[in-house]
Amino acid sequence: MIRKFISQRPRNTAEIANWLEGKSEFANMQSDISGVLESDSSIVRIGTIRRSGISGREYPLSEWATEEWVAHHEREKPIKEE
């Protein structure tokens, strides 16, 4: 379900946690969100977000995307002239 949620665009850890809290099957989930995301080989941490203005969060605010999204949006490497 999380892969589908982040397949259209990257989401940060707080967005994913809030989305999961709204799902009845995950309402009582007290898991390490980052650990769950890191355990899935098709989900990639693509960056970290500053915590400015967000208090009380015990997990890092990382940005997550699927490997497919990253591959589709990856910049082409410049060709080196010899």
Side-chain angles (χ1 to χ4, degrees):
M1 288 179 62
I2 295 172
R3 262 185 260 127
K4 186 174 180 179
F5 179 63
I6 65 173
S7 66
Q8 296 298 313
R9 68 178 178 90
R11 308 280 182 151
N12 69 47
T13 311
E15 287 177 305
I16 295 168
N18 288 335
W19 177 77
L20 285 174
E21 289 172 6
K23 301 292 178 192
S24 60
E25 58 269 29
F26 296 107
N28 296 322
M29 186 175 140
Q30 295 295 328
S31 183
D32 172 28
I33 302 297
S34 294
V36 170
L37 295 167
E38 287 173 346
S39 70
D40 189 325
S41 62
S42 67
I43 297 176
V44 179
R45 183 188 315 244
I46 59 172
T48 304
I49 298 172
R50 293 184 181 190
R51 296 174 147 237
S52 177
I54 298 177
S55 61
R57 298 290 183 186
E58 62 277 358
Y59 41 80
L61 287 176
S62 297
E63 193 81 14
W64 302 89
T66 60
E67 281 188 337
E68 293 82 16
W69 187 92
V70 172
H72 180 73
H73 292 88
E74 196 169 41
R75 293 180 184 169
E76 290 187 25
K77 295 180 181 162
I79 300 171
K80 292 183 180 179
E81 292 184 28
E82 292 185 37

